[in-house]
Amino acid sequence: KEIEKQRELNAEFDKLSNELDILKKDNEALKKPIDLKIQDSKKDRIKEDQKSAVNELEKEQNSNNNTNSNASEKQKSAAQKMKEMSEELGESSSGESGGSSVAEDAEMLRQILDNLIIFSFKQEALFDKLSAKGEQDASQYSETVRDQNELRGLFEHVDDSLFALSLRQAELSEFVNEQITEVFFFFFFF
């Protein structure tokens, strides 16, 4: 019974180990990979401890000895190594670059927001100017088009800054990129 439980645990860890390998490959394919701190040597030692635990359980079962001390030690050792590995992965995903990076990103975000507010006011002023002209002289529209192209250039700077921020903060990247795409759609096609 204990041998079967240990084998199930071994199979689960093998599955997890394979998923970690896939994660590692996917991470390496990123433009800016995250330091995941996955140590293959630690995974190998965990597998060895688990196999040793199964072997000890089989030996103890064959000798009809009910003291599972060696198997228990191997299981505890594997569990401790898994816990350490989990903590290392947690540290690498939550605080990859440390506090200074978060402060830099917050400052970058403040600058982006300032630029967006300026952009928004200029866009609104241009819209009001265009609305006030009504059906007036068509030659004045060339100035409006020129102003709109200037605003489009300003927005591209904001877009570039947001994209750079999304590369630094992986958890933001999908959301930021979706929102930028949506803004571009409305900005350029309406």
Side-chain angles (χ1 to χ4, degrees):
K1 185 177 179 180
E2 289 183 37
I3 295 173
E4 289 305 313
K5 284 183 183 178
Q6 184 62 45
R7 286 187 178 140
E8 287 175 20
L9 290 173
N10 291 6
E12 284 182 38
F13 183 75
D14 286 341
K15 182 179 174 185
L16 178 67
S17 180
N18 290 336
E19 289 177 9
L20 283 172
D21 290 339
I22 292 169
L23 175 68
K24 199 173 183 181
K25 287 177 186 173
D26 289 346
N27 183 49
E28 290 170 1
L30 293 173
K31 285 184 179 179
K32 195 171 184 183
I34 299 169
D35 182 19
L36 291 178
K37 298 179 184 175
I38 298 174
Q39 297 177 3
D40 291 331
S41 61
K42 191 169 278 193
K43 284 193 312 186
D44 294 339
R45 288 193 305 265
I46 292 169
K47 286 181 183 182
E48 288 173 15
D49 284 347
Q50 288 183 320
K51 286 178 186 175
S52 297
V54 169
N55 292 339
E56 291 294 327
L57 285 170
E58 287 173 348
K59 284 180 190 176
E60 290 167 5
Q61 185 180 28
N62 290 338
S63 66
N64 292 326
N65 186 355
N66 290 332
T67 60
N68 296 336
S69 61
N70 287 340
S72 178
E73 286 177 26
K74 295 292 183 182
Q75 288 171 332
K76 285 179 184 176
S77 173
Q80 180 62 32
K81 289 174 186 164
M82 283 186 222
K83 185 177 179 182
E84 290 170 7
M85 192 175 198
S86 172
E87 289 171 358
E88 289 172 359
L89 277 172
E91 288 172 9
S92 67
S93 66
S94 65
E96 179 209 343
S97 299
S100 64
S101 175
V102 172
E104 289 172 13
D105 290 346
E107 183 60 35
M108 184 180 201
L109 192 56
R110 278 189 209 98
Q111 186 63 46
I112 291 169
L113 287 173
D114 287 345
N115 291 341
L116 275 174
I117 290 170
I118 292 168
F119 169 79
S120 177
F121 283 132
K122 285 185 176 183
Q123 182 69 34
E124 193 172 326
L126 185 62
F127 181 75
D128 290 343
K129 181 179 170 184
L130 188 61
S131 297
K133 287 184 181 179
E135 294 292 326
Q136 294 178 3
D137 186 17
S139 64
Q140 295 176 351
Y141 286 110
S142 65
E143 181 183 339
T144 305
V145 169
R146 196 171 45 250
D147 291 344
Q148 182 65 31
N149 282 333
E150 182 182 319
L151 286 176
R152 185 176 294 169
L154 289 175
F155 183 76
E156 287 177 5
H157 292 298
V158 170
D159 167 46
D160 291 343
S161 299
L162 282 170
F163 185 71
L165 181 64
S166 74
L167 288 176
R168 291 174 59 156
Q169 297 291 332
E171 59 272 1
L172 295 176
S173 70
E174 184 177 347
F175 176 75
V176 168
N177 292 330
E178 286 174 3
Q179 296 303 314
I180 289 172
T181 302
E182 190 172 316
V183 168
F184 263 111
F185 178 75
F186 287 109
F187 187 64
F188 290 108
F189 296 111
F190 286 103

